[in-house]
Amino acid sequence: EAGVTQFPSHSVIEKGQTVTLRCDPISGHDNLYWYRRVMGKEIKFLLHFVKESKQDESGMPNNRFLAERTGGTYSTLKVQPAELEDSGVYFCASSRDSNQPQHFGDGTRLSIL
Amino acid sequence: EDQVTQSPEALRLQEGESSSLNCSYTVSGLRGLFWYRQDPGKGPEFLFTLYSAGEEKEKERLKATLTKKESFLHITAPKPEDSATYLCAVQYSSGSARQLTFGSGTQLTVLP
């Protein structure tokens, strides 16, 4: 089966611009998670979808970040406007149910100049 | 605050030299402890889930164990292809929360 797919793999934008990251979970996985690693630190949780509903968004850093999962399939994470501290690697993960292991994509490396 | 600490930060082994990686956690109400392997430029690759103290899981040269305060990832007779960063993550019982709390990882290098 195909794994979690993230697009783009790399994105370089200027401060103040908008960027949208996309994640396609493994087919049949209702649970979708966003994480990020910034400044070489640990991977940190951002939010969790169950189908199209936001189950937990306690890790979202501020209102410049907007995540959507319309139709309960793929998800997008929009950063608007981007700030320098948003640079890092954004990972998406999915699981069949919330008690199953989370499987990760290869991430989107975001650089804000 | 719930914390996950991994040690050592980096480990260099000769091929065939067995060793262990440590993951200690301070979370209360552990739901599960997960081990992942991460290669450069890739996402974390799932290895094991451990749910209760005393549990053990094995896969090829890797064996994961769990106590009430820590987990060990034992690597027996490692090969150069085992070189990677090994990540430990904890999922704790807190209502409907299912997020993973990650440690900073152990970067393993196995020399031929």
PDB file of all heavy atoms in Angstrom, chain A residues 27-42:
ATOM      1  N   SER A  27      -4.468   5.239   2.474  1.00  0.00           N
ATOM      2  CA  SER A  27      -5.869   5.015   2.178  1.00  0.00           C
ATOM      3  C   SER A  27      -6.560   4.248   3.307  1.00  0.00           C
ATOM      4  O   SER A  27      -6.042   3.239   3.794  1.00  0.00           O
ATOM      5  CB  SER A  27      -5.994   4.216   0.869  1.00  0.00           C
ATOM      6  OG  SER A  27      -7.338   3.940   0.581  1.00  0.00           O
ATOM      7  N   GLY A  28      -7.708   4.754   3.729  1.00  0.00           N
ATOM      8  CA  GLY A  28      -8.458   4.100   4.794  1.00  0.00           C
ATOM      9  C   GLY A  28      -8.107   4.552   6.186  1.00  0.00           C
ATOM     10  O   GLY A  28      -8.740   4.131   7.164  1.00  0.00           O
ATOM     11  N   HIS A  29      -7.102   5.414   6.303  1.00  0.00           N
ATOM     12  CA  HIS A  29      -6.718   5.932   7.617  1.00  0.00           C
ATOM     13  C   HIS A  29      -7.549   7.167   7.951  1.00  0.00           C
ATOM     14  O   HIS A  29      -7.415   8.209   7.318  1.00  0.00           O
ATOM     15  CB  HIS A  29      -5.231   6.280   7.639  1.00  0.00           C
ATOM     16  CG  HIS A  29      -4.347   5.089   7.765  1.00  0.00           C
ATOM     17  ND1 HIS A  29      -3.021   5.181   8.133  1.00  0.00           N
ATOM     18  CD2 HIS A  29      -4.598   3.766   7.586  1.00  0.00           C
ATOM     19  CE1 HIS A  29      -2.495   3.970   8.181  1.00  0.00           C
ATOM     20  NE2 HIS A  29      -3.428   3.094   7.831  1.00  0.00           N
ATOM     21  N   ASP A  30      -8.391   7.041   8.980  1.00  0.00           N
ATOM     22  CA  ASP A  30      -9.251   8.149   9.384  1.00  0.00           C
ATOM     23  C   ASP A  30      -8.513   9.203  10.198  1.00  0.00           C
ATOM     24  O   ASP A  30      -8.937  10.345  10.277  1.00  0.00           O
ATOM     25  CB  ASP A  30     -10.433   7.633  10.216  1.00  0.00           C
ATOM     26  CG  ASP A  30     -11.456   6.892   9.369  1.00  0.00           C
ATOM     27  OD1 ASP A  30     -11.463   7.088   8.137  1.00  0.00           O
ATOM     28  OD2 ASP A  30     -12.246   6.130   9.953  1.00  0.00           O
ATOM     29  N   ASN A  31      -7.418   8.782  10.842  1.00  0.00           N
ATOM     30  CA  ASN A  31      -6.687   9.689  11.725  1.00  0.00           C
ATOM     31  C   ASN A  31      -5.495  10.288  10.990  1.00  0.00           C
ATOM     32  O   ASN A  31      -4.700   9.557  10.376  1.00  0.00           O
ATOM     33  CB  ASN A  31      -6.192   8.947  12.964  1.00  0.00           C
ATOM     34  CG  ASN A  31      -7.326   8.542  13.877  1.00  0.00           C
ATOM     35  OD1 ASN A  31      -7.622   9.204  14.857  1.00  0.00           O
ATOM     36  ND2 ASN A  31      -7.993   7.449  13.530  1.00  0.00           N
ATOM     37  N   LEU A  32      -5.402  11.597  11.065  1.00  0.00           N
ATOM     38  CA  LEU A  32      -4.309  12.307  10.396  1.00  0.00           C
ATOM     39  C   LEU A  32      -3.724  13.307  11.372  1.00  0.00           C
ATOM     40  O   LEU A  32      -4.454  14.015  12.071  1.00  0.00           O
ATOM     41  CB  LEU A  32      -4.830  13.015   9.138  1.00  0.00           C
ATOM     42  CG  LEU A  32      -3.812  13.671   8.218  1.00  0.00           C
ATOM     43  CD1 LEU A  32      -4.292  13.631   6.771  1.00  0.00           C
ATOM     44  CD2 LEU A  32      -3.493  15.090   8.628  1.00  0.00           C
ATOM     45  N   TYR A  33      -2.411  13.343  11.448  1.00  0.00           N
ATOM     46  CA  TYR A  33      -1.694  14.187  12.405  1.00  0.00           C
ATOM     47  C   TYR A  33      -0.694  15.061  11.661  1.00  0.00           C
ATOM     48  O   TYR A  33      -0.091  14.637  10.679  1.00  0.00           O
ATOM     49  CB  TYR A  33      -0.920  13.329  13.407  1.00  0.00           C
ATOM     50  CG  TYR A  33      -1.716  12.240  14.084  1.00  0.00           C
ATOM     51  CD1 TYR A  33      -1.970  11.020  13.440  1.00  0.00           C
ATOM     52  CD2 TYR A  33      -2.192  12.391  15.390  1.00  0.00           C
ATOM     53  CE1 TYR A  33      -2.690  10.019  14.053  1.00  0.00           C
ATOM     54  CE2 TYR A  33      -2.907  11.384  16.017  1.00  0.00           C
ATOM     55  CZ  TYR A  33      -3.150  10.204  15.343  1.00  0.00           C
ATOM     56  OH  TYR A  33      -3.858   9.197  15.959  1.00  0.00           O
ATOM     57  N   TRP A  34      -0.485  16.252  12.202  1.00  0.00           N
ATOM     58  CA  TRP A  34       0.591  17.141  11.736  1.00  0.00           C
ATOM     59  C   TRP A  34       1.571  17.356  12.892  1.00  0.00           C
ATOM     60  O   TRP A  34       1.157  17.582  14.039  1.00  0.00           O
ATOM     61  CB  TRP A  34       0.056  18.493  11.277  1.00  0.00           C
ATOM     62  CG  TRP A  34      -0.599  18.500   9.934  1.00  0.00           C
ATOM     63  CD1 TRP A  34      -1.930  18.441   9.663  1.00  0.00           C
ATOM     64  CD2 TRP A  34       0.052  18.602   8.659  1.00  0.00           C
ATOM     65  NE1 TRP A  34      -2.156  18.493   8.315  1.00  0.00           N
ATOM     66  CE2 TRP A  34      -0.958  18.598   7.670  1.00  0.00           C
ATOM     67  CE3 TRP A  34       1.385  18.705   8.261  1.00  0.00           C
ATOM     68  CZ2 TRP A  34      -0.677  18.687   6.305  1.00  0.00           C
ATOM     69  CZ3 TRP A  34       1.669  18.790   6.908  1.00  0.00           C
ATOM     70  CH2 TRP A  34       0.641  18.776   5.947  1.00  0.00           C
ATOM     71  N   TYR A  35       2.862  17.267  12.558  1.00  0.00           N
ATOM     72  CA  TYR A  35       3.946  17.538  13.496  1.00  0.00           C
ATOM     73  C   TYR A  35       4.953  18.446  12.796  1.00  0.00           C
ATOM     74  O   TYR A  35       4.951  18.571  11.576  1.00  0.00           O
ATOM     75  CB  TYR A  35       4.678  16.243  13.885  1.00  0.00           C
ATOM     76  CG  TYR A  35       3.889  15.241  14.690  1.00  0.00           C
ATOM     77  CD1 TYR A  35       3.015  14.348  14.065  1.00  0.00           C
ATOM     78  CD2 TYR A  35       4.027  15.164  16.073  1.00  0.00           C
ATOM     79  CE1 TYR A  35       2.302  13.416  14.803  1.00  0.00           C
ATOM     80  CE2 TYR A  35       3.320  14.236  16.823  1.00  0.00           C
ATOM     81  CZ  TYR A  35       2.463  13.358  16.173  1.00  0.00           C
ATOM     82  OH  TYR A  35       1.761  12.431  16.914  1.00  0.00           O
ATOM     83  N   ARG A  36       5.856  19.037  13.585  1.00  0.00           N
ATOM     84  CA  ARG A  36       6.958  19.760  12.968  1.00  0.00           C
ATOM     85  C   ARG A  36       8.196  19.680  13.853  1.00  0.00           C
ATOM     86  O   ARG A  36       8.115  19.499  15.068  1.00  0.00           O
ATOM     87  CB  ARG A  36       6.592  21.224  12.705  1.00  0.00           C
ATOM     88  CG  ARG A  36       6.509  22.102  13.936  1.00  0.00           C
ATOM     89  CD  ARG A  36       6.313  23.555  13.540  1.00  0.00           C
ATOM     90  NE  ARG A  36       6.254  24.416  14.725  1.00  0.00           N
ATOM     91  CZ  ARG A  36       6.165  25.740  14.680  1.00  0.00           C
ATOM     92  NH1 ARG A  36       6.121  26.367  13.507  1.00  0.00           N
ATOM     93  NH2 ARG A  36       6.111  26.442  15.784  1.00  0.00           N
ATOM     94  N   ARG A  37       9.340  19.808  13.181  1.00  0.00           N
ATOM     95  CA  ARG A  37      10.606  19.893  13.882  1.00  0.00           C
ATOM     96  C   ARG A  37      11.235  21.216  13.463  1.00  0.00           C
ATOM     97  O   ARG A  37      11.478  21.449  12.279  1.00  0.00           O
ATOM     98  CB  ARG A  37      11.545  18.755  13.528  1.00  0.00           C
ATOM     99  CG  ARG A  37      12.950  18.926  14.107  1.00  0.00           C
ATOM    100  CD  ARG A  37      13.898  17.853  13.617  1.00  0.00           C
ATOM    101  NE  ARG A  37      13.759  16.635  14.382  1.00  0.00           N
ATOM    102  CZ  ARG A  37      13.937  15.425  13.870  1.00  0.00           C
ATOM    103  NH1 ARG A  37      14.201  15.273  12.596  1.00  0.00           N
ATOM    104  NH2 ARG A  37      13.819  14.367  14.648  1.00  0.00           N
ATOM    105  N   VAL A  38      11.486  22.079  14.446  1.00  0.00           N
ATOM    106  CA  VAL A  38      12.121  23.364  14.161  1.00  0.00           C
ATOM    107  C   VAL A  38      13.446  23.466  14.860  1.00  0.00           C
ATOM    108  O   VAL A  38      13.638  22.871  15.920  1.00  0.00           O
ATOM    109  CB  VAL A  38      11.214  24.552  14.582  1.00  0.00           C
ATOM    110  CG1 VAL A  38       9.924  24.530  13.780  1.00  0.00           C
ATOM    111  CG2 VAL A  38      10.928  24.529  16.066  1.00  0.00           C
ATOM    112  N   MET A  39      14.390  24.177  14.243  1.00  0.00           N
ATOM    113  CA  MET A  39      15.690  24.502  14.850  1.00  0.00           C
ATOM    114  C   MET A  39      16.397  23.284  15.433  1.00  0.00           C
ATOM    115  O   MET A  39      17.022  23.382  16.467  1.00  0.00           O
ATOM    116  CB  MET A  39      15.507  25.553  15.954  1.00  0.00           C
ATOM    117  CG  MET A  39      14.983  26.871  15.440  1.00  0.00           C
ATOM    118  SD  MET A  39      16.181  27.759  14.457  1.00  0.00           S
ATOM    119  CE  MET A  39      17.332  28.217  15.752  1.00  0.00           C
ATOM    120  N   GLY A  40      16.277  22.117  14.797  1.00  0.00           N
ATOM    121  CA  GLY A  40      16.979  20.941  15.273  1.00  0.00           C
ATOM    122  C   GLY A  40      16.459  20.385  16.576  1.00  0.00           C
ATOM    123  O   GLY A  40      17.124  19.569  17.210  1.00  0.00           O
ATOM    124  N   LYS A  41      15.280  20.814  16.986  1.00  0.00           N
ATOM    125  CA  LYS A  41      14.715  20.328  18.246  1.00  0.00           C
ATOM    126  C   LYS A  41      13.868  19.082  18.017  1.00  0.00           C
ATOM    127  O   LYS A  41      13.853  18.520  16.929  1.00  0.00           O
ATOM    128  CB  LYS A  41      13.888  21.437  18.890  1.00  0.00           C
ATOM    129  CG  LYS A  41      14.712  22.639  19.301  1.00  0.00           C
ATOM    130  CD  LYS A  41      13.906  23.615  20.126  1.00  0.00           C
ATOM    131  CE  LYS A  41      14.772  24.758  20.604  1.00  0.00           C
ATOM    132  NZ  LYS A  41      14.001  25.737  21.408  1.00  0.00           N
ATOM    133  N   GLU A  42      13.184  18.648  19.071  1.00  0.00           N
ATOM    134  CA  GLU A  42      12.369  17.447  18.951  1.00  0.00           C
ATOM    135  C   GLU A  42      11.178  17.689  18.019  1.00  0.00           C
ATOM    136  O   GLU A  42      10.725  18.811  17.833  1.00  0.00           O
ATOM    137  CB  GLU A  42      11.817  17.031  20.322  1.00  0.00           C
ATOM    138  CG  GLU A  42      12.840  16.621  21.342  1.00  0.00           C
ATOM    139  CD  GLU A  42      13.363  17.795  22.152  1.00  0.00           C
ATOM    140  OE1 GLU A  42      13.026  18.950  21.821  1.00  0.00           O
ATOM    141  OE2 GLU A  42      14.113  17.559  23.106  1.00  0.00           O
TER     142      GLU A  42
END
